[in-house]
Amino acid sequence: MRLAFRFASLGAAAALLIYGFLQPIDNDTRWIASLWLAALFLLVAGRLSLPPRPAGIARNIQNLALLMAVGFVVLTVQLLHHQFVRAGDLAGAVFVDQQTGQTTSNVRKVIAALKVRRGQILDRSGIPIVETEVVDGGYAVRRYPLAGVFDPTVFGHVVGFFSSRFGQSGIESAYGDYLSGERDSLRRIQDVLLDRPRVGDSVRLSLDVNLQAAALGALGERTGSIVVLDPRSGAVLAMVSRPGFDPRGLAYNPAAPDRAAENRRIDEYWRAINADGAGQPLLNRATQGRYPPGSTFKTVTAVAVLLHPEQARPDSIDCPDERPTEAGAPPVVNAVRVGLEGMIRSLPVPDVPDLERVYAFSCNTAFAEYAMRLGPDRMVETACLFDIYRPQDAPNVYPGFTDLPALPSLLYVEPGFLNSRAALADTGYGQGQLQVTPLQMAMVAATIANDGMMMQPSLVEEIVRPDGTVVVRHQPRPIRRVMPPEIARRMRANMRAGVAYGFGKAADAVDGVAVGGKSGTAEYSCPTIDDAGRLCAHAWFIAIAPVEQPRFAVAVMIENGGEGSRIGAEVAGQVLRAAFATIGE
Amino acid sequence: MFRQPWNLRGAELRLLLVALLLFAASYTLVALAADAGGMTATPRGIADILWPSVLPFLFFLAISLGLSWRMPDADQLLLPLVALLAGLGLMLTARLEPDLLDAMCAGRDGTVAPCFAGIDEKQSLWVTLGIAGLAIALFVPWDDLLRRYQRTSLMDWLDHHRYAWLMMGVALILATFLFGVDPNNSGVRAWFNFGLFLFQPSELLKIVLVIFLASYLNEHREVVAARYQIGPLPLPPLPYLAPLIGMWGLAMGLIIVQRDLGAALMLFSVFLAMLYVATGRGWYVIAGLGAFGAGSYVLYNVVSVVKTRVTIWLDPWASAQGSGYQLVQAIYALASGGVFGTGLGRGLPTVVPAAHTDFVFTALAEELGLAGGLGVLIVYLLLIFRGYHIAVRVSGRFRGFEQLLAVGLTTIIAVQTFIIIGGNLRAIPLTGVTLPFISYGGSSVLMNFLIVALLLRISATTPTIAAGRR
């Protein structure tokens, strides 16, 4: 009986302690309660396991000693909790005061992090974009050597900022454990034992600094985004988003003469870039901005048409000024309100409309008809091949691109949207409820350029340890075959037609290189007080070059930029020219 | 060869030598870590660095040799354990001093100087004085002197003058009420300012009260343990429970007037422990705890300090930048230490305010890790068990006073250690008491050495141990 009670008490104490150990650290009143309850059980178990003694002072002293021992067991368990069981969580815990917004974190972690010599971030040819300088006191400061050469904001979204107060973004965050050397646990132990400063791995990107700068130059001060991919490997050659931020503004220098002023400087910059009117400079529009793609989406519809020629009948099409869809819905109209079919029938030589011509002249009514012929299922199927998801299938982040935070692109937003013929028709020419990122449109172009094989986009080429050994070398990875090569070839011809004689002529800016492309003018409502029904338009352009064997795929998106065939095509042409000039074979 | 005529205390001496070597090594480590390059590797340079820690240890060895001569039967484990803890204290003060130099205080003449400059040497001085006190208490033939002039032995003399001790305790409390100062803005007016040094009267108070209680409870043991029967209700012998009520009042008074929760908690716990050991009545303890709990609850609503401490204990994060700062930083320090610690000189223990006094245990556990922290807990537990062991071994019905005194003195160390480490670790609400032998501070070190001296004296005259002598 005694024995049974003893073990029951011990078991209860152990169970309580395990329960307590599992409690989250921000709710550890429960832990303290279970600790003390367990102590009571331990006291009972201890009392039962002591040999019985005759009443007297000796027995009283024994009981007192038992009480003290249990007290010290409580201390031991608490020490175990703080220093072993939950040590990692507690040491890294950050607490935010709900009222004042003040954060409390472990200063040791902050100081240790300030001393870590993070690795470099290099461009494709090894030019350092970010490096670490060791200053007084063994502190390390993030430096941006190209900030004086190019616009200091040009690499902001890709490399990200590194701040001791506001965290990290971009590559600094996604590859933080490599850059800080945390990934290599063996070397960390060696560093600790040998008292060496921690040196992180270097990350070499696929980005080309000159192309990146040229792309930013082409975009100018406009709000928007440019993505340049190598279609054969998926490598991101340039990724620009405007407005941008200067990572120097958030880089803390612990050796600054006045630390308070240094903190104030960073605080002010942080407030400035997070201010309401600042246009969200921290948002990487290339991967996190979702827009209606406008007519560039006709590329996806055209692929669907070619994948299902029996239903869609690609070359039996017309381009009326208006196409009715269903009762009660306004008919689909073209951007060129009247007489587009006449243009299509006459240029470049008189002929009947076919897929190439309606694509080159971006005929809305034709693509609405194609979409209605295909039906929602086939539209969804093809969009999904391009990783443009139905809302119910969409993941929280786009899994195809993991180097930076990226949102998935959506074919529509409200469930069941495509069941209406009007919605299906709108989606077919790129309006509807489409929500697509510039990266995704660049991938559409790149897939066609790569003979129908969609490659996983990637930003990191290799990761190199301080001693020069390569930890990670990127291998191009295909996502899936979206279309057979002959359809891709036909699509390239269609895109070439768009630039050669269609609405994308402004993109034909590279001497001796055949550029293919598709413009897009994505209308969205931007009501003002005077005009509630006012429409604005994002300018889009996707391009590939050279059409026969493309080496570059470009997506240009300019918020509220007007017509894609003008500004979009122009910027795309400039970017392509810079790409051929800066990146040799 | 020395064994027979000297009764050389071999175990004690060997353990002390081990502790000496340990601290010579760790102290060198601290000196190197704190001031790399400042040390010259000449014998003189090393001696310069080592003397503040090694000197007290040499005195420990002298005490051990002296005990071999005067009291060969005294307990052999107490002294090495105390030496270990005092050595840790010295080492930690030496470790923390350079980091504490940043804190600047305005002196009395208006000049600004580092508050904690020279605390290493001072602590070394305190430990040396403590050892000197130990030597005086042990080696002056008090029994002979008192027998000659007072016709009584030391223990009987202590027993006999119980009301003098009580008066002294009350006077000490009254004096702190009147003259207490609060030198480091902790909200507790628990120090006397003697110009040259600060003295914490609660450190003396605890010993004086333990002597009184041991004497009182010993004399009235039977009566206190008996019960009155009024109808069906068994009642305690009310007149003789005056000390119970008196102690309770004392604890509450300390909290109300001085805001000294730590001392109140400690004194009351020690009292309950002694009452239980003397009477064997668990109900007294429960009643006492109940009364203390009720009083604390009332005070919780009346005295803001109590409420603050409990609130911080339950959720330090809510006030992480205010009153909970110290505890939050202590938890970060502990968690950053991990299993093996950051290593001496490699952590940031002084981020926690009062790292060298109230929060010395977190400083230790940060740099020496779970391993070091558990080691220290074990040393304390050994010391406490040794003290109770001494109490149990006191035999003969005429030595109840010594038995209760040993229990009380040991319980002081036990409870004080538990209160401060438990407060550091957030096992109980934080109340400021010193960590015996380790915390920086003169009065605490001196009084703790006095406790050890009394325990050693009690153990030296234990006939059972004497019988075991070869």
Side-chain angles (χ1 to χ4, degrees):
Chain A
M1 198 60 194
R2 237 178 123 87
L3 202 70
F5 266 123
R6 207 169 106 194
F7 282 110
S9 307
L10 274 179
L16 275 166
L17 288 180
I18 290 167
Y19 167 80
F21 277 148
L22 294 175
Q23 293 308 304
I25 52 161
D26 45 351
N27 192 3
D28 59 354
T29 318
R30 277 193 216 160
W31 155 244
I32 292 187
S34 51
L35 172 66
W36 279 106
L37 217 53
L40 278 182
F41 280 113
L42 276 179
L43 195 62
V44 171
R47 185 69 191 81
L48 289 176
S49 52
L50 283 178
R53 277 192 179 218
I57 283 202
R59 194 195 64 179
N60 300 346
I61 292 178
Q62 189 187 47
N63 288 341
L64 182 62
L66 174 70
L67 184 72
M68 295 300 165
V70 170
F72 273 70
V73 167
V74 168
L75 297 183
T76 303
V77 173
Q78 183 75 334
L79 200 63
L80 212 61
H81 177 263
H82 285 346
Q83 296 208 283
F84 179 63
V85 182
R86 303 312 296 267
D89 299 342
L90 285 170
V94 176
F95 293 90
V96 183
D97 191 314
Q98 297 301 330
Q99 266 105 52
T100 62
Q102 230 172 359
T103 54
T104 305
S105 61
N106 190 349
V107 64
R108 291 161 192 80
K109 293 252 168 185
V110 176
I111 288 181
L114 286 176
K115 291 194 173 180
V116 171
R117 300 180 189 172
R118 289 171 76 86
Q120 292 177 307
I121 302 178
L122 309 159
D123 98 324
R124 56 185 284 123
S125 46
I127 300 168
I129 303 171
V130 188
E131 55 191 17
T132 291
E133 186 193 335
V134 180
V135 294
D136 290 350
Y139 291 111
V141 187
R142 267 326 221 181
R143 295 284 187 211
Y144 301 83
L146 297 180
V149 185
F150 304 116
D151 183 322
T153 65
V154 63
F155 303 108
H157 290 109
V158 173
V159 300
F161 59 83
F162 176 73
S163 162
S164 47
R165 318 215 13 224
F166 302 109
Q168 299 116 51
S169 72
I171 292 290
E172 293 271 23
S173 164
Y175 286 83
D177 47 354
Y178 283 107
L179 287 167
S180 66
E182 263 164 57
R183 190 78 176 203
D184 191 347
S185 48
L186 181 65
R187 197 174 76 225
R188 273 185 76 180
I189 293 169
Q190 287 172 345
D191 287 347
V192 168
L193 290 179
L194 298 174
D195 196 16
R196 290 189 305 208
R198 212 159 96 208
V199 183
D201 302 335
S202 293
V203 173
R204 191 166 69 80
L205 305 179
S206 54
L207 213 66
D208 183 278
V209 285
N210 293 306
L211 179 59
Q212 176 87 358
L216 184 81
L219 191 58
E221 286 306 306
R222 304 178 189 98
T223 299
S225 169
I226 295 175
V227 178
V228 183
L229 297 177
D230 183 336
R232 295 162 298 184
S233 62
V236 176
L237 300 173
M239 181 181 273
V240 172
S241 171
R242 291 268 92 176
F245 64 92
D246 182 356
R248 289 180 304 174
L250 297 174
Y252 179 68
N253 180 1
D258 183 355
R259 285 191 177 193
E262 180 76 358
N263 272 323
R264 218 160 35 240
R265 175 183 72 84
I266 291 170
D267 270 357
E268 270 161 25
Y269 190 69
W270 179 256
R271 260 203 304 280
I273 56 179
N274 282 294
D276 277 344
Q280 290 180 286
L282 287 174
L283 182 77
N284 185 3
R285 287 167 162 76
T287 59
Q288 293 171 300
R290 289 192 286 205
Y291 308 89
S295 301
T296 53
F297 190 75
K298 285 173 184 156
T299 314
V300 176
T301 311
V303 170
V305 167
L306 292 174
L307 284 173
H308 304 283
E310 279 177 31
Q311 289 82 12
R313 303 189 303 283
D315 295 327
S316 149
I317 192 73
D318 58 350
C319 183
D321 290 339
E322 283 191 2
R323 169 122 32 219
T325 53
E326 62 183 7
V332 173
V333 297
N334 290 322
V336 179
R337 290 294 146 116
V338 183
L340 185 62
E341 182 154 352
M343 215 188 270
I344 289 172
R345 285 178 179 276
S346 58
L347 282 171
V349 289
D351 204 347
V352 291
D354 58 4
L355 177 64
E356 182 184 299
R357 287 181 177 228
V358 294
Y359 181 81
F361 286 102
S362 202
C363 175
N364 289 352
T365 52
F367 279 87
E369 174 64 20
Y370 281 138
M372 288 188 286
R373 286 179 191 171
L374 285 165
D377 292 348
R378 293 189 189 86
M379 282 299 287
V380 166
E381 182 199 308
T382 308
C384 284
L385 285 174
F386 280 107
D387 279 355
I388 298 172
Y389 300 90
R390 293 188 297 171
Q392 60 265 44
D393 307 331
N396 287 329
V397 294
Y398 176 50
F401 182 60
T402 48
D403 290 344
L404 294 179
L407 290 178
S409 299
L410 302 176
L411 185 59
Y412 54 95
V413 177
E414 291 162 17
F417 176 73
L418 283 192
N419 290 338
S420 119
R421 274 175 70 81
L424 186 64
D426 285 349
T427 307
Y429 65 88
Q431 288 293 147
Q433 293 184 342
L434 277 153
Q435 291 278 299
V436 183
T437 62
L439 174 72
Q440 208 73 46
M441 283 321 294
M443 286 169 69
V444 168
T447 306
I448 290 163
N450 194 37
D451 271 345
M453 182 65 85
M454 184 155 73
M455 303 301 287
Q456 197 164 359
S458 73
L459 200 44
V460 172
E461 279 295 294
E462 58 182 19
I463 299 173
V464 185
R465 285 206 185 121
D467 60 8
T469 51
V470 175
V471 193
V472 173
R473 177 165 283 137
H474 177 73
Q475 298 295 331
R477 269 190 294 269
I479 296 178
R480 71 178 69 84
R481 175 160 288 287
V482 176
M483 66 197 104
E486 56 276 13
I487 292 185
R489 212 161 19 242
R490 218 177 139 184
M491 280 309 300
R492 287 205 296 276
N494 291 342
M495 288 178 80
R496 175 61 198 153
V499 173
Y501 61 84
F503 284 162
K505 281 182 196 143
D508 215 356
V510 193
D511 290 336
V513 175
V515 176
K518 179 78 197 82
S519 62
T521 308
E523 291 190 327
Y524 64 101
S525 73
C526 50
T528 58
I529 304 163
D530 304 326
D531 182 2
R534 194 168 83 108
L535 289 177
C536 302
H538 298 315
W540 278 90
F541 203 87
I542 58 173
I544 55 174
V547 167
E548 312 80 55
Q549 255 192 338
R551 285 164 50 201
F552 305 107
V554 179
V556 173
M557 200 293 306
I558 298 163
E559 278 184 33
N560 198 11
E563 298 217 1
S565 51
R566 292 215 187 108
I567 185 70
E570 214 176 285
V571 171
Q574 286 170 26
V575 170
L576 280 173
R577 199 162 52 216
F580 281 102
T582 54
I583 301 176
E585 186 50 40
Chain B
M1 175 171 114
F2 289 109
R3 218 174 148 130
Q4 278 313 319
W6 271 69
N7 277 314
L8 192 67
R9 294 157 61 82
E12 183 177 79
L13 212 51
R14 278 193 295 266
L15 287 171
L16 278 174
L17 279 172
V18 171
L20 175 70
L21 286 177
L22 177 70
F23 282 107
S26 66
Y27 204 84
T28 316
L29 207 64
V30 165
L32 285 172
D35 186 26
M39 195 184 91
T40 43
T42 58
R44 201 195 145 80
I46 293 171
D48 270 355
I49 282 170
L50 287 187
W51 76 263
S53 89
V54 175
L55 198 64
F57 265 89
L58 295 179
F59 292 134
F60 272 118
L61 290 177
I63 295 263
S64 175
L65 290 175
L67 282 173
S68 299
W69 175 44
R70 293 292 306 241
M71 296 180 196
D73 302 322
D75 194 279
Q76 295 208 34
L77 275 180
L78 279 185
L79 208 56
L81 290 171
V82 167
L84 201 61
L85 293 172
L88 265 174
L90 282 172
M91 188 191 80
L92 283 170
T93 5
R95 154 68 189 97
L96 294 173
E97 187 186 331
D99 286 16
L100 288 167
L101 289 181
D102 288 344
M104 300 301 264
C105 291
R108 227 163 298 155
D109 47 352
T111 55
V112 174
C115 309
F116 303 113
I119 56 170
D120 180 27
E121 275 84 3
K122 276 193 212 160
Q123 179 75 350
S124 191
L125 177 70
W126 291 124
V127 172
T128 310
L129 284 179
I131 297 172
L134 192 67
I136 292 171
L138 289 176
F139 300 137
V140 171
W142 293 108
D143 283 344
D144 299 342
L145 286 175
L146 286 168
R147 272 198 198 102
R148 179 170 303 169
Y149 297 108
Q150 305 262 332
R151 295 162 190 277
T152 173
S153 71
L154 174 65
M155 287 302 157
D156 289 343
W157 183 75
L158 290 175
D159 191 3
H160 191 72
H161 292 87
R162 74 173 79 103
Y163 289 105
W165 303 125
L166 182 65
M167 285 301 123
M168 193 171 155
V170 171
L172 272 174
I173 292 172
L174 285 178
T176 24
F177 287 177
L178 293 176
F179 308 115
V181 291
D182 179 11
N184 39 12
N185 292 321
S186 55
V188 180
R189 292 189 294 124
W191 284 267
F192 289 157
N193 193 346
F194 283 117
L196 285 177
F197 60 96
L198 292 165
F199 180 75
Q200 204 171 0
S202 63
E203 297 287 340
L204 182 58
L205 177 69
K206 64 194 185 189
I207 297 183
V208 167
L209 281 181
V210 161
I211 297 174
F212 164 73
L213 282 171
S215 168
Y216 183 91
L217 289 172
N218 181 44
E219 178 149 327
H220 302 291
R221 182 184 302 172
E222 278 78 16
V223 207
V224 175
R227 39 181 97 175
Y228 286 172
Q229 201 82 20
I230 299 179
L233 263 155
L235 278 179
L238 294 171
Y240 294 100
L241 285 180
L244 194 150
I245 294 138
M247 281 301 293
W248 181 82
L250 189 73
M252 295 297 141
L254 274 176
I255 297 174
I256 294 168
V257 181
Q258 266 186 299
R259 310 280 188 262
D260 195 347
L261 311 184
L265 189 58
M266 182 179 73
L267 289 176
F268 198 70
S269 316
V270 171
F271 163 70
L272 285 183
M274 290 179 74
L275 186 69
Y276 170 73
V277 169
T279 63
R281 300 240 171 274
W283 287 113
Y284 285 181
V285 179
I286 291 167
L289 283 177
F292 189 76
S296 303
Y297 181 75
V298 171
L299 290 179
Y300 174 86
N301 293 311
V302 176
V303 183
S304 61
V305 183
V306 185
K307 192 165 194 164
T308 320
R309 295 292 169 84
V310 173
T311 317
I312 294 171
W313 173 55
L314 290 176
D315 190 5
W317 317 109
S319 52
Q321 296 291 334
S323 50
Y325 180 80
Q326 200 174 26
L327 205 52
V328 167
Q329 293 303 326
I331 290 169
Y332 279 140
L334 289 167
S336 305
V339 175
F340 295 109
T342 56
L344 282 170
R346 305 297 310 273
L348 285 174
T350 47
V351 175
V352 187
H356 61 308
T357 53
D358 286 1
F359 274 81
V360 73
F361 185 78
T362 57
L364 180 139
E366 178 185 351
E367 300 212 323
L368 299 178
L370 179 67
L374 284 183
V376 169
L377 284 181
I378 290 171
V379 171
Y380 276 114
L381 208 54
L382 283 175
L383 185 65
I384 291 158
F385 272 41
R386 208 62 202 168
Y388 289 140
H389 182 77
I390 290 170
V392 172
R393 284 225 165 163
V394 172
S395 68
R397 51 179 291 128
F398 301 112
R399 297 185 64 208
F401 167 70
E402 280 170 71
Q403 204 162 30
L404 282 175
L405 186 61
V407 168
L409 294 174
T410 310
T411 309
I412 288 177
I413 293 182
V415 169
Q416 201 171 334
T417 308
F418 178 80
I419 286 177
I420 190 60
I421 296 184
N424 284 187
L425 296 178
R426 204 161 83 86
I428 56 169
L430 175 69
T431 52
V433 292
T434 55
L435 185 59
F437 303 108
I438 295 187
S439 282
Y440 170 76
S443 7
S444 161
V445 167
L446 282 178
M447 291 307 141
N448 287 321
F449 271 102
L450 197 57
I451 289 176
V452 171
L454 287 171
L455 282 175
L456 277 172
R457 278 201 85 101
I458 294 170
S459 73
T461 49
T462 303
T464 42
I465 297 179
R469 187 191 345 164
R470 276 154 297 173

